[in-house]
Amino acid sequence: MIYCLILLLLFLPRFGAAAEPPQANLMAPVVVTATRTDTPQEEVTTSISVITDEDIQAQHAETVLEALRNVPSVDVVQSGSEGNVTSVFIRGSDSDHVLVLIDGVEVNSATLGSVDLAHLTTDNIDRVEVLRGAGGTLYGSQAIGGVINIITKKGQGPAELTASAEGGNWSTHREALSLRGGLGQLGYSLSVSRLATDGFHRFNDDYRNLTSSGRLDYKLTDDTIIRGIFHFVKTDLGLFNSNNFAPGNPGDPNAREATEQYLGKLEWEQKIFSNWDYRISGSIFKQHLRDSDNIDACVFLGFPCDSGKTRSRFRPQIATAEFQTNYRLGEWSTSTFGVEFKRRSASTSSSSDGADLGGINRAVRNMSYYLQEQVKVLDHRLIFIPGIRLDDNQSFGTAWTPSFSTAYTFKETKTKLRAGYATGFKAPTLNDLFFPAGFGCPAFGNPNLSPEKSQELNAGIDQDLLRDRVKVAVTYFHREVRDLIEGRPIPGDPLGCFRAENVGSARFNGVESSVEIKLLR
């Protein structure tokens, strides 16, 4: 495969015109995650960072987790070598308090609530937008700590074919192929890559990742676009650390995990008038995880471990339908209204030596409505954005999440002051609600759980210096989360079993700061 790609690079006729020296980008960066509308980054009233394709190339980042490591207040924790569980935390939040989107499609686990970033590569990514702070008004559940939106590339211009191959220690190699461009009214961007490594442990540490991604944009008229997006990931991983709880553990020789992820989205976008547009979309995100292990006899906390062949299957799924419309009144007002239907479901099963250990096969529906107003006055010096959201959830009922943010820019000194208040919530996961009984314990799941709820205050300053060659940003934040969902011992249970309960609260105070210096043009 490597040699074929090298030959392709050397001898394939070029599809496009000769490369020209890069031109300076004079347009201000535009983001969509902060307001769900195209907004110049300098007019955003919240804390947001953008990782561009140029940033990814400069870092030589092969995975999204690598690209996120340089974002302020974002912590990425990898539990082992390549492919092992990788969690993300924003401003000290839990990992299930961070909402991760791919082209606006939620990819958080319906059973765990969090996202495993280990398998997300940077192929076909145009940029990654990281919203730090509560995004519950626009995005609902999970967005307490922040939102990460991974946006794929849009095809345009002459056809461009790119192939690459690389390799290194421990039989590590990666091959990638991409094709993008425009053909009449159709823009296309397609990619496929394969990553493989034997890992750095002496056995059962190997990892294989096959990823494909595509985006098609067809312009029906000057005011109407049909968009199709798909992502597919297939992995196979050796779990060397699977039984690391056992004393003197030499490594698990046969625990394996296979994963398949499917994401598809269809979107219709149209302008009714020059100042009024709407968007209708439907999407689905599916996962299929298969774990297997031949457990040898061991002792854990003085008790013998069960031995034999174990198998587990998890099939979480999120289906979403959404309508959003935006009305602009001149340059000073933008009104956004949206309706979203989301269905989270999961089918899980596990067995040991052929004996069924149970699982879940449940679904929870959620209907939500959100409204946001963007007001820009005094030549866009003063901006304030109020918003509110109502979620009607099948498991716990309704939740209101209002928010308000504002910013004032002193254009003479290029100083921007920001402040905001936001609320958020995290709905109980399917595991929290329905995890079944097992090993002599009653069910861990509790269908009477309330959502976790948060409140957050932010205040910050952005300063550009030396003709925008130096950018300084400082933000103070205070967040409170109550009704946390944790496993608590069941009173009177002789085995010390646990059940999910709403318990306690947590407070977070912090200051994040960043300095960007442009050394050369």
Side-chain angles (χ1 to χ4, degrees), residues 194-453:
R194 182 175 183 270
L195 171 65
T197 180
D198 286 346
F200 57 83
H201 290 297
R202 59 189 182 279
F203 58 84
N204 200 36
D205 198 35
D206 58 302
Y207 176 61
R208 305 290 183 267
N209 180 314
L210 175 65
T211 296
S212 61
S213 172
R215 171 172 170 167
L216 302 175
D217 295 84
Y218 187 77
K219 195 172 185 179
L220 278 176
T221 68
D222 290 341
D223 297 322
T224 306
I225 296 176
I226 299 176
R227 184 174 296 114
I229 296 168
F230 75 88
H231 291 264
F232 170 74
V233 179
K234 183 177 182 180
T235 68
D236 184 57
L237 172 67
L239 300 174
F240 176 86
N241 293 320
S242 180
N243 60 358
N244 58 6
F245 55 81
N249 170 37
D252 196 313
N254 44 42
R256 308 289 302 180
E257 180 178 82
T259 302
E260 293 178 2
Q261 297 180 357
Y262 309 84
L263 183 150
K265 181 179 183 179
L266 286 176
E267 187 171 70
W268 172 286
E269 186 175 338
Q270 184 177 26
K271 279 188 176 181
I272 303 174
F273 302 109
S274 60
N275 62 338
W276 188 12
D277 61 73
Y278 73 92
R279 183 172 69 246
I280 301 174
S281 65
S283 63
I284 189 167
F285 174 65
K286 299 174 61 176
Q287 295 176 287
H288 187 187
L289 294 82
R290 300 182 299 275
D291 292 338
S292 63
D293 193 6
N294 287 324
I295 301 178
D296 300 322
C298 66
V299 175
F300 176 53
L301 297 179
F303 296 94
C305 306
D306 291 334
S307 61
K309 182 74 171 181
T310 65
R311 295 180 181 274
S312 300
R313 292 178 180 269
F314 307 89
R315 297 182 180 89
Q317 176 178 302
I318 301 176
T320 306
E322 184 178 1
F323 167 81
Q324 178 180 314
T325 183
N326 308 292
Y327 181 79
R328 297 169 178 84
L329 186 60
E331 295 185 356
W332 67 273
S333 172
T334 301
S335 303
T336 299
F337 173 74
V339 180
E340 181 185 71
F341 171 81
K342 188 168 290 188
R343 183 179 184 269
R344 294 180 173 87
S345 61
S347 173
T348 69
S349 63
S350 59
S351 64
S352 178
D353 282 341
D356 185 10
L357 299 180
I360 63 175
N361 188 7
R362 304 295 292 265
V364 173
R365 299 183 302 274
N366 188 87
M367 195 76 182
S368 58
Y369 313 85
Y370 55 89
L371 177 64
Q372 176 188 258
E373 181 70 25
Q374 302 178 59
V375 179
K376 304 174 183 179
V377 294
L378 302 178
D379 192 24
H380 290 203
R381 289 172 179 261
L382 176 62
I383 302 171
F384 50 95
I385 304 178
I388 192 168
R389 181 187 184 100
L390 170 64
D391 283 83
D392 186 3
N393 189 277
Q394 183 184 1
S395 70
F396 61 81
T398 60
W400 291 90
T401 49
S403 67
F404 177 83
S405 61
T406 184
Y408 185 86
T409 301
F410 298 89
K411 294 189 176 182
E412 296 79 7
T413 59
K414 294 189 175 182
T415 304
K416 182 166 75 172
L417 303 178
R418 297 177 282 104
Y421 167 80
T423 59
F425 76 96
K426 186 189 81 71
T429 67
L430 294 178
N431 277 358
D432 294 333
L433 295 169
F434 307 117
F435 198 87
F439 301 102
C441 289
F444 172 85
N446 181 357
N448 298 316
L449 291 171
S450 299
E452 300 179 354
K453 299 177 182 178

Side-chain angles (χ1 to χ4, degrees), residues 23-343:
Q23 302 296 317
N25 183 10
L26 301 179
M27 297 182 63
V30 173
V31 298
V32 298
T33 309
T35 60
R36 280 188 177 262
T37 60
D38 293 339
T39 305
Q41 189 173 355
E42 62 185 16
E43 296 184 2
V44 170
T45 57
T46 50
S47 299
I48 191 166
S49 297
V50 180
I51 306 169
T52 64
D53 178 52
E54 290 78 11
D55 296 329
I56 293 172
Q57 298 300 324
Q59 289 182 245
H60 300 284
E62 296 178 350
T63 58
V64 173
L65 70 92
E66 297 175 59
L68 290 172
R69 292 192 186 278
N70 292 330
V71 179
S73 292
V74 174
D75 293 319
V76 181
V77 179
Q78 191 169 1
S79 63
S81 52
E82 192 83 44
N84 280 260
V85 174
T86 303
S87 302
V88 61
F89 309 85
I90 297 180
R91 289 182 172 177
S93 69
D94 288 340
S95 59
D96 57 358
H97 288 176
V98 177
L99 179 65
V100 179
L101 311 171
I102 297 179
D103 290 306
V105 179
E106 179 181 348
V107 294
N108 288 59
S109 170
T111 52
L112 299 176
S114 56
V115 173
D116 182 3
L117 290 179
H119 310 309
L120 292 179
T121 67
T122 54
D123 300 291
N124 207 30
I125 290 181
D126 177 65
R127 66 189 188 275
V128 180
E129 298 182 0
V130 182
L131 176 65
R132 303 189 300 280
T137 299
L138 293 178
Y139 297 99
S141 180
Q142 320 292 129
I144 289 176
V147 180
I148 298 173
N149 193 7
I150 302 165
I151 301 172
T152 54
K153 293 181 178 179
K154 178 182 179 181
Q156 56 188 355
E160 177 183 307
L161 178 68
T162 304
S164 65
E166 53 193 270
N169 292 340
W170 301 297
S171 299
T172 301
H173 57 93
R174 179 177 182 268
E175 301 83 41
L177 188 67
S178 66
L179 176 65
R180 66 180 55 91
L183 185 63
Q185 302 300 310
L186 176 67
Y188 56 89
S189 181
L190 310 168
S191 72
V192 61
S193 68
R194 182 175 183 270
L195 171 65
T197 180
D198 286 346
F200 57 83
H201 290 297
R202 59 189 182 279
F203 58 84
N204 200 36
D205 198 35
D206 58 302
Y207 176 61
R208 305 290 183 267
N209 180 314
L210 175 65
T211 296
S212 61
S213 172
R215 171 172 170 167
L216 302 175
D217 295 84
Y218 187 77
K219 195 172 185 179
L220 278 176
T221 68
D222 290 341
D223 297 322
T224 306
I225 296 176
I226 299 176
R227 184 174 296 114
I229 296 168
F230 75 88
H231 291 264
F232 170 74
V233 179
K234 183 177 182 180
T235 68
D236 184 57
L237 172 67
L239 300 174
F240 176 86
N241 293 320
S242 180
N243 60 358
N244 58 6
F245 55 81
N249 170 37
D252 196 313
N254 44 42
R256 308 289 302 180
E257 180 178 82
T259 302
E260 293 178 2
Q261 297 180 357
Y262 309 84
L263 183 150
K265 181 179 183 179
L266 286 176
E267 187 171 70
W268 172 286
E269 186 175 338
Q270 184 177 26
K271 279 188 176 181
I272 303 174
F273 302 109
S274 60
N275 62 338
W276 188 12
D277 61 73
Y278 73 92
R279 183 172 69 246
I280 301 174
S281 65
S283 63
I284 189 167
F285 174 65
K286 299 174 61 176
Q287 295 176 287
H288 187 187
L289 294 82
R290 300 182 299 275
D291 292 338
S292 63
D293 193 6
N294 287 324
I295 301 178
D296 300 322
C298 66
V299 175
F300 176 53
L301 297 179
F303 296 94
C305 306
D306 291 334
S307 61
K309 182 74 171 181
T310 65
R311 295 180 181 274
S312 300
R313 292 178 180 269
F314 307 89
R315 297 182 180 89
Q317 176 178 302
I318 301 176
T320 306
E322 184 178 1
F323 167 81
Q324 178 180 314
T325 183
N326 308 292
Y327 181 79
R328 297 169 178 84
L329 186 60
E331 295 185 356
W332 67 273
S333 172
T334 301
S335 303
T336 299
F337 173 74
V339 180
E340 181 185 71
F341 171 81
K342 188 168 290 188
R343 183 179 184 269

